[in-house]
Coordinates of all heavy atoms in Angstrom, one line a residue:
E26 N -18.1 -30.2 -5.1 CA -18.5 -29.2 -4.2 C -18.0 -29.5 -2.8 O -18.1 -30.6 -2.4 CB -20.0 -29.0 -4.2 CG -20.6 -28.1 -5.3 CD -22.0 -27.7 -5.1 OE1 -22.3 -27.4 -3.9 OE2 -22.8 -27.7 -6.0
S27 N -17.6 -28.5 -2.2 CA -17.0 -28.7 -0.8 C -18.1 -28.9 0.2 O -19.1 -28.2 0.2 CB -16.2 -27.5 -0.4 OG -15.8 -27.7 0.9
K28 N -18.0 -29.9 1.0 CA -18.9 -30.3 2.0 C -18.5 -29.5 3.3 O -19.2 -29.3 4.2 CB -19.1 -31.7 2.3 CG -19.4 -32.6 1.1 CD -20.8 -32.3 0.6 CE -21.2 -33.3 -0.5 NZ -21.5 -32.6 -1.7
E29 N -17.2 -29.0 3.2 CA -16.7 -28.4 4.3 C -17.1 -26.8 4.3 O -16.7 -26.2 3.4 CB -15.1 -28.3 4.2 CG -14.4 -29.4 4.8 CD -12.8 -29.2 4.5 OE1 -12.4 -28.3 5.0 OE2 -12.4 -30.0 3.8
P30 N -17.8 -26.4 5.3 CA -18.1 -25.0 5.3 C -16.9 -24.1 5.4 O -16.9 -23.0 4.8 CB -19.0 -24.8 6.6 CG -18.9 -26.1 7.3 CD -18.3 -27.1 6.5
S31 N -15.8 -24.6 6.0 CA -14.6 -23.8 6.1 C -14.0 -23.5 4.7 O -13.6 -22.4 4.4 CB -13.6 -24.3 7.0 OG -13.1 -25.6 6.6
R32 N -14.0 -24.5 3.8 CA -13.5 -24.3 2.5 C -14.4 -23.4 1.7 O -13.8 -22.5 1.0 CB -13.4 -25.7 1.7 CG -12.7 -25.6 0.4 CD -12.6 -26.9 -0.4 NE -11.7 -27.7 0.3 CZ -11.4 -29.0 -0.1 NH1 -12.1 -29.5 -1.1 NH2 -10.5 -29.7 0.5
R33 N -15.6 -23.7 1.7 CA -16.6 -22.8 1.0 C -16.5 -21.3 1.5 O -16.4 -20.4 0.8 CB -18.0 -23.3 1.2 CG -19.0 -22.6 0.4 CD -20.4 -23.2 0.4 NE -20.8 -23.9 1.5 CZ -20.9 -25.2 1.8 NH1 -20.5 -26.0 0.8 NH2 -21.3 -25.8 2.8
Q34 N -16.4 -21.2 2.9 CA -16.2 -19.9 3.5 C -14.9 -19.2 2.9 O -14.9 -18.0 2.7 CB -16.2 -20.0 5.0 CG -17.1 -19.0 5.7 CD -17.1 -19.4 7.2 OE1 -16.5 -20.3 7.7 NE2 -17.9 -18.6 7.9
W35 N -13.9 -20.0 3.0 CA -12.6 -19.4 2.6 C -12.6 -19.0 1.1 O -12.2 -17.8 0.8 CB -11.4 -20.4 2.8 CG -10.1 -19.9 2.7 CD1 -9.3 -19.4 3.7 CD2 -9.3 -19.6 1.4 NE1 -8.1 -18.9 3.2 CE2 -8.1 -19.0 1.8 CE3 -9.6 -19.8 0.1 CZ2 -7.2 -18.6 0.9 CZ3 -8.6 -19.5 -0.8 CH2 -7.4 -18.8 -0.4
N36 N -13.2 -19.8 0.3 CA -13.3 -19.4 -1.1 C -14.2 -18.1 -1.4 O -13.8 -17.3 -2.1 CB -13.9 -20.5 -1.9 CG -12.9 -21.7 -2.1 OD1 -11.8 -21.5 -2.0 ND2 -13.5 -22.8 -2.4
E37 N -15.2 -18.0 -0.5 CA -16.1 -16.8 -0.6 C -15.3 -15.6 -0.2 O -15.4 -14.5 -0.8 CB -17.3 -16.9 0.3 CG -18.4 -17.9 -0.3 CD -19.5 -18.2 0.7 OE1 -19.5 -17.6 1.8 OE2 -20.3 -19.1 0.3
M38 N -14.5 -15.6 0.9 CA -13.7 -14.6 1.4 C -12.6 -14.2 0.3 O -12.3 -13.0 0.1 CB -13.1 -14.8 2.7 CG -14.1 -14.9 3.8 SD -15.2 -13.5 3.9 CE -14.1 -12.2 4.4
R88 N -3.9 -22.7 -1.0 CA -4.4 -21.3 -0.6 C -3.2 -20.3 -0.7 O -3.4 -19.2 -1.1 CB -5.0 -21.4 0.8 CG -6.3 -22.1 0.9 CD -6.9 -22.2 2.3 NE -8.1 -22.9 2.2 CZ -8.9 -23.2 3.3 NH1 -8.5 -22.7 4.5 NH2 -10.1 -23.7 3.1

Side-chain angles (χ1 to χ4, degrees):
E26 276 198 41
S27 173
K28 305 292 186 243
E29 273 180 61
S31 65
R32 182 181 291 173
R33 187 172 32 255
Q34 225 173 4
W35 192 94
N36 288 339
E37 287 170 6
M38 293 306 295
R88 289 179 178 180

